[in-house]
Structure formats: structure tokens, C-alpha cells
């Protein structure tokens, strides 16, 4: 990511809002019940593609989170989730989910989805621009004129002057924004599943990169709370399935089961919600940063949790396909992603060290933080 990226400051907050609405929507995913009878080949292709798409933002987002945590640039600073945030998140997500359910019951679904489409068009363009910026920067030739710009809005005069908005960006960032806007227009007018997935992958990758857990205990609180949240709203009510089927926004990855029969115009989709990617993903990214902090040139806990995620997601697909019923994916992902690394830490005698690992919160991080620690 370019240090002059104009969208990096707005992405974490936007992602937090989006995740509140989507953190469990993938539970039915892998889960939408459709009347179309898919062929074994079509089913295998759809679920295999969803699995591959889910792994990409986790793997690359975790790698980018390491660089993000080391950055001293204010625009690249991650949003840190504390134990208090983690404890409140399932409650906020539940209120948001039930609020959307009531909105869809009371108001016209068409108008609600129009407003949501416009909202996620803006978020999607910003997230995709941030995601592709390293790729665009590497592709453009060295001779490309990369001029710096600054967008500054202030309030007041003299000593009372206060910054409202301060974006520093360059020509390469504008190229990213234009390319992302093309995808945004495609999504806005066509709602094509490929455009949906491009936005969904961008949201997921940015979430894993920019939303950081401050320690393993916080991760356990967050995953444990959302474990209960997911099970309750899928098995206890029809709220989550109803919202997921009504909600036309790129908060889930989709892949057609009839792609082999109908090509790119296929319309019978298998789905996986972004919450089932980002929530375990930020925990896996934390374990990668813990691996880095050990300075042993190994990535034991990262690869263990990554394999655990694959196991949990495959198990979700298998059970959903066997019983033909919506499954809360976090029911299987949380025990796998938490349990596997904990067992490895016990075997290696590093469990205490794992739970003592602590990262700075967004407020604590800053250019002077290291000097303050030394003084203490």
C-alpha cells in the first residue's frame, strides 16, 4: 500500500460498519437453500471456488497486516480491537441484524437495497482502490509521472484552526480510484456476481489487514461471542437467513452452481458471508504477528490456524451439504481456529507466552510510543 493512498484512513471505520451488518451472514452461506438442483460437478466447482476465495484475503491480508502494524504513517495505522470492543461486538451485530430484518419487513425491499447499493458503492470503490494500490504501483513504469497532492479541509482561523479532512495522495492513487470506480459502476447497474466478489474480496482483505486484535484473549472473547451469535441467529430464528436473502450488497462471496450450464450469466449461487472470513481472519493475522514477534523465522501458529480454517470451512460445507440445512459456519470455524493453535502452543510450551503477547491500541501507537516505553 502506498503511504500516499487517499483512502486508507477511511477504510477501517467503514469496514467496522460493514462487518456489523455482515459478521454472520455467511452462516447461511454456504447455505442458501435453492430449488435449483446442481450437478455434482457444478456443486464441487462452486464450493471449491468459495473456499479458494475465502483463503486469499486471509492469507494476503494477514501478510499485509504485519507491514501495517509496523507502519508509522497515520493513514496506514490499523484499528485495534480491545477486549471491551470484542465483548460489545456481538451485541451491536445482533442489534444491526435485527434492525435490518425489521426494515425489510416494514419498508420496501427495493428502496432499501437502492440506498444500500449506493452506500456500498462508495465503500467498495474505496476498499478496492486501497487493495489494488500495491499492484498498480508495481505495474506502472518508473517513468510514470507520479505527482503528490493534498486535500485539506479546515475549520476556524488562526490558533482555532482545526483539521476536518487531510488526505495526501498521488497520481497512482488516482489511477486506482478510477479503475475501482469502473468496477463500482458495473456493480451498481448490473449487480453482476463477479463485481460483487471483487468488492467482497476487497472488503475482506482490508478487514484482515486493518482490523487488529490487541491480544489472543481478546480474539477468544470476540470469536466466542460471535460463535454464540451465529448459532442463535441461524438455528434459533429465521432472521439471518431472511436478511441474507434480501440484502443486496457485496457482504458475501457468491459463486454460481450452474456456471457450467449457463456460463457467466448463471444465477443459482452458493454463498459465503464476509463475517465468516474476516472474523477468523483477524485472529489468524494476530497469530502471524505473534510468530513474527518470536523472531524464530517460523510461522508455526499462522500455518496451524490457516490449516484449521480450511478444516473448519470444509467441515461446514460437508455438514451443510449432507443435512441440506443452513449452517452457522462459526460453529465449526471458531473451535478449529482457536483450538488448533492452543494445542500446538501447549505442546511447544509457549501457551503462556502466546496469551501474554500484546499489541498497542490505536491511541497508544505513535512516533513517540517507543521512547515512552524506554523511559518507563
Amino acid at each position: 500500500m502506498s503511504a500516499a493512498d487517499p483512502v486508507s484512513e477511511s477504510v477501517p471505520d467503514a469496514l467496522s460498519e460493514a462487518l456489523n451488518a455482515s459478521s454472520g451472514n455467511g452462516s447461511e452461506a454456504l447455505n442458501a437453500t435453492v430449488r435449483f438442483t446442481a450437478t455434482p460437478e457444478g456443486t464441487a466447482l462452486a464450493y471449491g471456488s468459495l473456499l479458494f476465495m475465502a483463503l486469499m484475503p486471509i492469507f494476503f491480508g494477514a501478510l499485509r497486516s504485519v507491514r501495517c502494524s509496523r507502519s508509522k504513517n497515520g493513514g496506514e495505522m490499523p484499528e485495534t480491537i480491545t477486549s471491551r470492543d470484542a465483548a460489545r461486538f456481538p451485541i451491536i451485530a445482533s442489534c444491526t441484524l435485527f434492525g435490518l430484518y425489521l426494515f425489510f419487513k416494514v419498508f420496501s425491499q427495493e428502496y432499501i437495497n437502492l440506498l444500500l447499493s449506493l452506500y456500498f458503492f462508495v465503500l467498495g470503490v474505496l476498499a478496492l482502490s486501497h487493495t489494488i494500490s500495491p499492484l498498480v504501483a508495481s505495474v506502472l513504469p518508473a517513468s510514470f509521472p507520479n505527482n503528490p497532492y493534498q486535500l485539506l479541509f479546515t475549520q476556524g482561523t488562526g490558533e482555532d484552526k482545526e483539521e476536518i479532512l487531510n488526505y495526501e495522495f498521488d497520481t497512482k492513487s488516482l489511477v486506482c480510484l478510477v479503475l475501482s470506480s469502473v468496477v463500482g459502476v458495473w456493480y451498481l447497474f448490473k449487480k453482476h456476481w463477479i463485481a460483487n466478489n471483487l468488492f467482497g474480496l476487497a472488503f475482506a482483505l482490508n478487514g484482515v489487514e486493518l482490523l487488529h486484535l490487541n491480544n489472543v484473549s481478546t480474539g477468544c472473547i470476540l470469536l466466542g461471542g460471535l460463535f454464540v451469535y451465529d448459532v442463535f441467529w441461524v438455528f434459533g430464528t429465521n432472521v439471518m437467513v431472511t436478511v441474507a436473502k434480501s440484502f443486496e450488497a457485496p457482504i458475501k462471496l457468491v459463486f454460481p452452481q450452474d456456471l457450467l450450464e449457463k456460463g457467466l450469466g448463471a444465477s443459482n449461487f452458493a454463498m459465503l458471508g464476509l463475517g465468516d472470513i474476516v472474523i477468523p481472519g483477524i485472529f489468524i493475522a494476530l497469530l502471524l504477528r505473534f510468530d513474527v514477534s518470536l523472531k524464530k523465522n517460523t510461522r508455526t501458529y499462522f500455518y496451524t490456524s490457516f490449516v484449521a480454517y480450511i478444516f473448519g470451512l470444509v467441515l461446514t460445507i460437508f455438514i451443510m451439504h449432507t443435512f441440506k440445512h443452513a449452517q452457522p459456519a462459526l460453529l465449526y470455524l471458531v473451535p478449529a481456529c482457536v483450538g488448533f493453535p492452543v494445542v500446538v502452543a501447549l505442546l511447544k510450551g509457549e501457551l503462556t507466552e502466546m496469551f501474554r503477547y500484546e499489541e498497542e491500541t490505536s491511541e497508544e501507537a505513535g512516533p513517540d510510543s517507543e521512547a515512552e516505553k524506554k523511559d518507563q
Side-chain angles (χ1 to χ4, degrees):
M1 171 172 60
S2 169
D5 192 335
V7 302
S8 53
E9 289 186 350
S10 60
V11 170
D13 292 335
L15 282 167
S16 297
E17 294 177 17
L19 283 171
N20 285 340
S22 71
S23 63
N25 287 354
S27 321
E28 74 286 12
L30 302 176
N31 59 57
T33 304
V34 291
R35 295 177 182 176
F36 168 77
T37 303
T39 63
E41 295 82 2
T43 300
L45 178 62
Y47 288 129
S49 299
L50 284 177
L51 177 61
F52 177 72
M53 286 191 291
L55 296 178
M56 283 197 301
I58 292 177
F59 186 84
F60 293 107
L63 293 177
R64 289 173 61 156
S65 77
V66 175
R67 182 184 61 184
C68 181
S69 66
R70 294 170 175 170
S71 174
K72 299 301 182 183
N73 182 279
E76 294 186 12
M77 291 301 294
E79 289 291 318
T80 305
I81 300 173
T82 64
S83 57
R84 184 178 179 182
D85 299 326
R88 292 186 300 185
F89 195 88
I91 300 173
I92 296 171
S94 295
C95 293
T96 303
L97 180 67
F98 191 65
L100 286 170
Y101 175 78
L102 294 179
F103 266 96
F104 280 117
K105 289 294 184 182
V106 175
F107 300 103
S108 169
Q109 181 176 324
E110 179 183 355
Y111 294 115
I112 294 174
N113 279 319
L114 177 60
L115 292 175
L116 290 173
S117 294
L118 293 172
Y119 177 66
F120 279 97
F121 164 78
V122 176
L123 294 187
V125 168
L126 296 177
L128 186 59
S129 177
H130 175 256
T131 300
I132 66 174
S133 58
L135 177 63
V136 171
S138 65
V139 169
L140 291 176
S143 58
F144 182 80
N146 192 35
N147 301 317
Y149 301 96
Q150 183 177 25
L151 184 63
L152 179 64
F153 286 94
T154 61
Q155 177 179 293
T157 57
E159 295 180 356
D160 297 328
K161 184 179 289 187
E162 181 182 356
E163 284 189 4
I164 304 298
L165 180 67
N166 187 359
Y167 281 147
E168 293 182 358
F169 56 99
D170 54 25
T171 311
K172 291 180 181 178
S173 298
L174 292 177
V175 172
C176 295
L177 204 58
V178 170
L179 293 175
S180 301
S181 297
V182 172
V183 176
V185 172
W186 183 23
Y187 170 78
L188 193 61
F189 287 98
K190 296 296 184 180
K191 294 293 190 299
H192 198 276
W193 60 273
I194 294 179
N196 174 91
N197 286 349
L198 289 173
F199 274 175
L201 288 169
F203 282 136
L205 190 146
N206 279 282
V208 176
E209 177 188 359
L210 297 172
L211 297 175
H212 288 198
L213 297 164
N214 66 339
N215 56 49
V216 173
S217 296
T218 298
C220 292
I221 293 171
L222 179 65
L223 268 66
L226 289 176
F227 173 92
V228 176
Y229 159 90
D230 216 13
V231 172
F232 172 76
W233 288 111
V234 174
F235 286 153
T237 72
N238 70 335
V239 171
M240 187 176 290
V241 175
T242 301
V243 170
K245 291 180 178 180
S246 306
F247 203 87
E248 293 182 5
I251 60 168
K252 53 184 177 281
L253 300 180
V254 299
F255 199 91
Q257 300 183 68
D258 54 346
L259 179 68
L260 300 177
E261 292 82 9
K262 298 183 180 180
L264 296 179
S267 57
N268 292 285
F269 298 103
M271 299 182 292
L272 177 64
L274 298 189
D276 294 328
I277 301 172
V278 176
I279 298 303
I282 60 177
F283 186 75
I284 294 171
L286 172 67
L287 292 179
L288 174 60
R289 297 192 298 275
F290 171 63
D291 276 325
V292 172
S293 73
L294 294 177
K295 299 179 181 179
K296 294 182 179 180
N297 294 323
T298 61
R299 301 293 181 264
T300 303
Y301 296 104
F302 171 64
Y303 289 125
T304 299
S305 56
F306 193 74
V307 170
Y309 180 85
I310 297 173
F311 171 79
L313 193 55
V314 170
L315 182 61
T316 305
I317 294 172
F318 173 77
I319 293 177
M320 185 278 304
H321 190 71
T322 301
F323 293 98
K324 310 296 182 185
H325 189 277
Q327 295 295 316
L330 293 181
L331 174 63
Y332 310 99
L333 292 172
V334 170
C337 291
V338 175
F340 281 36
V342 167
V343 170
V344 171
L346 275 171
L347 294 175
K348 296 184 67 176
E350 295 177 339
L351 186 63
T352 302
E353 193 171 0
M354 173 190 284
F355 277 86
R356 282 180 178 174
Y357 173 69
E358 185 88 18
E359 293 188 350
E360 294 176 333
T361 62
S362 302
E363 290 78 12
E364 293 170 343
D368 300 325
S369 59
E370 294 297 324
E372 290 174 1
K373 285 183 179 179
K374 289 178 182 178
D375 293 338
Q376 292 175 354

